[in-house]
Amino acid sequence: MGALLYYPFVVPPPEVIYQSLLYWDGFASVVPQEKRFYDRAVPAPLKELGDRGLYRPLTVRAPLYGADWRSTWAKALSSQLRRMAVQPGVRTEPAFHMWPTKLPNRLERELLRLRLATWPDDSGPIVVPRPVGELIIATLAREIAVDLEERADGALYPYTDSPTARRQTMHMTVRGDREAAWEVELGRVLPTPAPTTSLSDVLAFRERHADERARLMRAVHRLLGDLRRDYEHPSDVITELRRELDEAAKEHRSAGRAAGIAWASRSVAATVGVAAAALGALVVPDVGWLMGAVSGYAINIATREIRPMLAYRPERDDFSYLHKVRKELQ
């Protein structure tokens, strides 16, 4: 099923951890390379999940952030940072703290040179304006996910609870191209355990009901994949898959109730890039449609416009998730 690559911080909130353990193969996050910072950044519970193969700490490979800025995606990031360095008010934005060696050394030096970063204490974090930090970490997360997939080292899906971090990378490019995308609300279909649920109960449910979890996620992935391919007939896609999704969702919720888990539904939006030919037909910002109901809950779909990264890959890019942690669906 693949794993979630959480950003922009090292440690996800509990709701995201539960989401990843219930519906995915686990989760990952970008961590400092240097051990003295890694040990402080990654708490014991994450290390224990790592020992069980459910959490993967990731660092930026040197070849990924090459020395030649002209021929890599780093050009897009560098250009955006130079623009931000001269924008009024950027340096007065709230502070964003990043662990040293979480970024490539060259990028850390670039931030200091542009006066977009300070390092008050060489044993503590690097401080940048929040828009700068979110842009950098979100971009790194997306490129790490693509890099690992290309090296057949696992499928990772970018996943964040920061709308601004997600929005910045969705619109950063050096080409100016636009692409169309579906945005699908899945929160009701993929509920998370209530905050009072213990991690041990979530892990026990994960192991005991692996078949139910896998069935539900196969149905969800099929929905998103079919929407990417059959973008001209979204209602037909929902109609065709409604029974499969409905049965899988009911089975999963029932298993949770039998295990004593109280479900909480929160907004989870999946963004799915579609064919370039769909741009004129689909890009209708801020318009949403009720496309169908699964287990009594609506599946809402809207179109949106995205501006892919420099190294855009239509079959892979812009398949990401936004988890609105503080907004429960009523």
Side-chain angles (χ1 to χ4, degrees):
M1 289 184 284
L4 300 179
L5 175 48
Y6 174 75
Y7 68 94
F9 303 110
V10 172
V11 184
E15 296 91 342
V16 174
I17 294 177
Y18 287 177
Q19 181 89 210
S20 69
L21 295 177
L22 283 186
Y23 303 115
W24 304 83
D25 292 334
F27 65 102
S29 62
V30 184
V31 302
Q33 297 186 47
E34 194 170 323
K35 187 178 186 302
R36 61 176 174 140
F37 297 120
Y38 171 84
D39 287 340
R40 293 170 59 190
V42 182
L46 256 62
K47 293 176 181 175
E48 292 171 5
L49 288 173
D51 293 339
R52 300 180 64 158
L54 299 174
Y55 168 67
R56 184 176 181 180
L58 297 172
T59 56
V60 181
R61 289 195 318 130
L64 179 64
Y65 199 80
D68 185 357
W69 286 52
R70 294 170 299 175
S71 61
T72 69
W73 59 268
K75 178 180 178 181
L77 180 57
S78 177
S79 298
Q80 182 68 6
L81 291 175
R82 288 196 298 271
R83 285 194 291 269
M84 297 177 87
V86 297
Q87 287 176 358
V90 168
R91 292 184 178 84
T92 62
E93 292 280 352
F96 185 97
H97 297 81
M98 296 186 296
W99 289 105
T101 72
K102 183 175 179 177
L103 307 182
N105 182 258
R106 178 178 181 141
L107 181 53
E108 290 182 355
R109 294 199 305 269
E110 179 81 352
L111 289 170
L112 292 170
R113 184 185 68 80
L114 293 172
R115 296 176 53 228
L116 286 174
T118 59
W119 195 3
D121 179 355
D122 62 7
S123 65
I126 296 172
V127 183
V128 300
R130 189 174 187 87
V132 173
E134 290 185 328
L135 171 67
I136 291 171
I137 300 302
T139 304
L140 291 177
R142 287 160 57 84
E143 290 303 317
I144 287 173
V146 172
D147 177 60
L148 289 176
E149 185 170 23
E150 289 183 342
R151 294 190 289 118
D153 195 16
L156 290 172
Y157 296 96
Y159 195 103
T160 186
D161 56 342
S162 170
T164 56
R166 182 177 185 240
R167 183 168 57 250
Q168 288 198 72
T169 54
M170 286 288 188
H171 289 81
M172 191 182 78
T173 180
V174 295
R175 302 181 314 168
D177 292 356
R178 298 180 303 158
E179 301 289 346
W182 286 120
E183 187 156 281
V184 189
E185 173 56 57
L186 296 169
R188 287 290 196 181
V189 182
L190 302 177
T192 55
T196 54
T197 309
S198 69
L199 178 60
S200 60
D201 286 343
V202 174
L203 291 172
F205 180 84
R206 172 190 170 90
E207 296 174 4
R208 190 177 302 121
H209 297 284
D211 291 342
E212 291 90 340
R213 295 187 305 103
R215 182 185 180 194
L216 178 57
M217 286 311 292
R218 280 195 300 268
V220 169
H221 282 196
R222 185 180 169 194
L223 168 68
L224 299 178
D226 285 0
L227 284 172
R228 184 200 302 272
R229 291 185 293 271
D230 195 10
Y231 58 85
E232 292 182 330
H233 304 96
S235 59
D236 292 347
V237 171
I238 296 289
T239 299
E240 180 180 348
L241 295 178
R242 181 178 294 141
R243 181 175 179 181
E244 179 182 351
L245 274 165
D246 190 57
E247 291 179 353
K250 286 180 178 177
E251 184 181 66
H252 183 265
R253 285 179 178 271
S254 177
R257 286 193 296 269
I261 290 179
W263 294 117
S265 296
R266 298 177 185 271
S267 176
V268 178
T271 298
V272 186
V274 298
L279 181 63
L282 291 187
V283 177
V284 186
D286 302 322
V287 176
W289 295 270
L290 171 62
M291 301 303 297
V294 174
S295 290
Y297 301 122
I299 292 181
N300 291 311
I301 296 181
T303 58
R304 64 173 299 165
E305 175 184 304
I306 54 178
R307 297 180 183 273
M309 288 294 296
L310 173 65
Y312 179 59
R313 301 159 183 85
E315 74 284 355
R316 177 62 178 85
D317 272 10
D318 301 308
F319 191 122
S320 60
Y321 290 85
L322 174 64
H323 186 110
K324 299 178 183 177
V325 177
R326 295 176 181 84
K327 183 180 178 182
E328 292 203 10
L329 300 179
Q330 302 300 322

